[in-house]
Amino acid sequence: MDAITVPSTVIVCENMSGCRARSAAASSARKATAIAEGITNLRFEQGDAQVHPCPEGGFDVAISRGGIMFFADPVAAFANIGRALRPSGRLAFVCLREMARNEWFTVPMTALLGHQPKPSATAPYAPGMFSLADPGRINDVLTHAGFQNVRTVPIDTSMVYGTDAAAFILSSGPVRFYLRTADRFTVDQARERLSAALRPYHEPDTVRMRGAWWVVTATRPRRRS
C-alpha cells in the first residue's frame, strides 16, 4: 500500500499490491511533488494494506484508483481498510471489468503473445488486474469484509496514449514482466508487432483504445447505539 493521507479525513490507497509495494523512493518523490505544489497536509505511508496498522476509525473515506486487485487475501485487506474507517465511513475505488472489454490490454498482449489473452479458467480470482472483474465477486468480498451498501457502476472510457504508445506499453509492468528474459532482438521484434497492432487506433497526436471499469462504493456500518 502506498498511502496518501489527509489527517483525520481521507486515506488514499494507490497501487496496493501486497508485498509488491512501491519503493520508498517513489513515495519520497510524491512527497516532494506535493510540497512543491504547496500541499502540506499530507502524510505518506508505505505498507501492505492487508496488515498495515492504520489507526482504527481514523478516517472518513478510503479511495483507490486501480490498485486493489492484487491482494493475496482481499477479504483481509478490505477488512483492515474498513477498520481504519469511522462508523458510516465510505469506501470508493475503481477496478477493471472483463478482460475482453479492455482493448488497451488485449490488443498489445495479443500482439506480444501471438494469441488473445484469456482469464484463467482454473483461478479466475487469483491476484491480478482482473481479479475483481466480476461484480458478484466484489459484493462477496466487501460483504465478508464488513462493508454494506455495496454498489458497482460500469464505466466505459478511452485509454489515451501519446504518439509513441508502443514505447510506453513496452515500459509497463505486465509487458516488462513478459519480456524480462528477452534479448535485444526479441524486444525489437516485440516493438514492431506492437506498433503494427496499435496502428488502427492512431488518431492525430494520440492513440486511443477502449477501457472498461467498475466504480465501486460501499460504507461501514453505523455504530449501534
Side-chain angles (χ1 to χ4, degrees):
M1 177 179 67
D2 198 8
I4 309 171
T5 62
V6 182
S8 75
T9 53
V10 180
I11 180 169
V12 182
C13 302
E14 285 286 348
N15 292 308
M16 303 183 296
S17 54
C19 63
R20 297 183 299 162
R22 289 193 176 199
S23 66
S27 292
S28 297
R30 285 184 165 191
K31 183 176 182 179
T33 299
I35 292 173
E37 294 180 358
I39 303 172
T40 58
N41 61 334
L42 297 177
R43 187 173 75 253
F44 291 76
E45 296 181 10
Q46 180 177 318
D48 184 342
Q50 297 171 122
V51 296
H52 189 70
C54 297
E56 186 170 350
F59 301 93
D60 298 311
V61 181
I63 63 177
S64 180
R65 184 188 61 180
I68 41 65
M69 301 89 76
F70 305 96
F71 296 130
D73 187 341
V75 172
F78 282 111
N80 192 42
I81 293 169
R83 281 190 289 271
L85 296 174
R86 62 168 175 77
S88 302
R90 294 172 294 155
L91 169 72
F93 64 84
V94 174
C95 63
L96 288 164
R97 283 156 60 200
E98 307 96 296
M99 184 186 294
R101 292 179 177 270
N102 284 278
E103 289 178 337
W104 66 270
F105 178 82
T106 59
V107 169
M109 294 309 293
T110 298
L112 295 171
L113 296 172
H115 60 83
Q116 187 166 350
K118 295 181 179 180
S120 171
T122 57
Y125 302 139
M129 286 193 292
F130 299 96
S131 66
L132 293 176
D134 179 357
R137 167 70 169 166
I138 295 171
N139 185 76
D140 185 59
V141 167
L142 293 183
T143 299
H144 281 84
F147 285 93
Q148 60 185 20
N149 303 320
V150 179
R151 185 167 180 252
T152 53
V153 178
I155 298 293
D156 294 306
T157 185
S158 296
M159 297 288 284
V160 180
Y161 301 90
T163 52
D164 195 0
F168 180 84
I169 292 171
L170 283 171
S171 70
S172 68
V175 176
R176 282 190 290 110
F177 179 80
Y178 168 69
L179 294 172
R180 65 192 182 282
T181 61
D183 57 26
R184 181 60 182 268
F185 176 74
T186 302
V187 172
D188 287 344
Q189 283 190 316
R191 180 188 294 273
E192 291 179 9
R193 295 196 306 272
L194 187 56
S195 296
L198 295 175
R199 204 162 289 130
Y201 302 92
H202 273 262
E203 299 178 4
D205 301 322
T206 192
V207 174
R208 187 184 303 269
M209 290 181 285
R210 188 181 67 216
W213 307 79
W214 292 115
V215 175
V216 182
T217 56
T219 58
R220 291 291 290 168
R222 294 179 181 272
R223 181 180 287 118
R224 294 179 180 179
S225 56

